[in-house]
Amino acid sequence: VKLADLTTPALLVEAEVLDANLRAMAAALPGARLRPHVKAHKCTALARRQAAFGHLGFTCATVREVEGMAAAGLGHDLLLANEVLDAHRLGGLDARVTVAVDSGETVEAAARGGVREVLIDVNVGLPRCGCAPEDAGRLAELARARGLGVRGVMGYEGHLMLAPEREKRAAGTEQAMERLARAHAAVGGEVVSAGGTGTFDLNRLATEIQAGSYALMDTAYAKLGLPFRPALSLLATVISVSPGYAVADCGLKALGMDHGAPAIDGARVWFCSDEHVTFAPDAALAVGARMRVWPAHVDPTVAYHERLFVVAGEEVLDVWPVDLRGW
Ligand SMILES: Cc1ncc(COP(=O)(O)O)c(C=O)c1O
């Protein structure tokens, strides 16, 4: 199969770039130092590649992701780095499952659901999930009293991931991790799980880094000068040309737009609508021409699509189902 045979918009992964990204990360954070986050790609075939690079433990964001990873035989050590109340779906899985908890309710749900191990999730500065550091010890005691194994703490410094200056990311991470260290002292356990693509080499406290975007990357992360390159694009077809601009068939229903409009090589993107991207090309384009559109945010982009086409040049090497979609 060739690129020319694909229906557009089609989600493409450059095989060689993906491989280089996985290799670069495995060199920086070998084995269990990285717990790749599957929410970035929602694809067990890609997770299998990460496992082949030596990372056997994975991070998930949804129950569905945990179920899918377990069913795919990738359940060596799955962390659901999120609060869930439907933990009963996790108890019977053929996998080692650890769940984040930040309240009495989520501890109770884990215990009742048959989950055996938890991490105490600590708010380290991102106003999302996580308890106050002062509450972490009490929650750990509560979890142990309910028969749960407490493996340690997690704290995601997501508010810092896209800070453009490396020094700001470093200083912010240092501060965030002071909160997590305080919580860890009260909780105990061997695991301190934190970090992401923007702080993968800056977080000095974490025993494991939860990066996910590094594998496929996006234009937002590409601005940070990290040692990872964009591997993910959308193949689109030019469907209309007007004086000064052109339109391709790749709109906001095919693209995560919360980090801004996508990029097109040799063009300035004006805006996206449902099924269109309008852009000003540097050189004239004909209707029917095909082009690459580079998404600004990898995670929601992938979640819109059913499959990833793994490509080298004009050749489609493989088709990987985005099989961890849904909830
Ligand atoms: C809990 C958690 N850990 C880690 C990550 C790391 O992701 P990324 O590689 O995109 O920085 C995320 C992303 O949002 C997250 O929510």
Side-chain angles (χ1 to χ4, degrees), residues 50-135:
Q50 292 172 308
F53 273 92
H55 317 295
L56 300 181
F58 286 91
T59 310
C60 301
T62 65
V63 173
R64 169 79 198 105
E65 289 171 4
V66 179
E67 288 172 338
M69 290 291 285
L74 292 162
H76 173 74
D77 186 354
L78 300 175
L79 167 62
L80 179 43
N82 205 0
E83 277 57 24
V84 291
L85 293 166
D86 46 0
H88 58 276
R89 288 167 57 193
L90 301 170
L93 297 179
D94 182 18
R96 181 178 187 185
V97 176
T98 303
V99 177
V101 293
D102 71 356
S103 66
E105 289 84 348
T106 45
V107 167
E108 189 56 29
R112 284 194 188 199
V115 169
R116 285 200 282 278
E117 297 176 289
V118 296
L119 288 186
I120 306 302
D121 190 1
V122 181
N123 180 327
V124 296
L126 174 71
R128 206 172 67 178
C129 297
C131 68
E134 304 70 52
D135 274 344

Side-chain angles (χ1 to χ4, degrees), residues 191-270:
V191 176
V192 179
S193 198
T197 298
T199 63
F200 82 99
D201 60 346
L202 298 173
N203 192 315
R204 294 185 296 155
L205 180 75
T207 58
E208 57 178 45
I209 298 291
Q210 303 176 352
S213 300
Y214 78 97
L216 296 176
M217 288 292 284
D218 53 38
T219 62
Y221 265 132
K223 290 184 185 134
L224 298 189
L226 304 170
F228 315 112
R229 284 181 291 142
L232 185 78
S233 64
L234 280 137
L235 182 68
T237 305
V238 175
I239 55 168
S240 181
V241 173
S242 292
Y245 68 91
V247 180
D249 61 351
C250 175
L252 53 85
K253 287 184 177 169
L255 285 163
M257 296 279 295
D258 61 315
H259 289 170
I264 296 173
D265 296 334
R268 258 176 318 111
V269 172
W270 286 2

Side-chain angles (χ1 to χ4, degrees), residues 128-169:
R128 206 172 67 178
C129 297
C131 68
E134 304 70 52
D135 274 344
R138 179 187 63 81
L139 271 175
E141 261 174 52
L142 184 68
R144 290 188 177 108
R146 285 297 275 116
L148 293 161
V150 178
R151 293 180 70 184
V153 292
M154 82 156 244
Y156 174 56
E157 67 275 29
H159 55 302
L160 302 164
M161 283 304 145
L162 287 170
E165 306 86 2
R166 184 175 165 84
E167 305 72 46
K168 284 223 173 106
R169 295 202 302 283

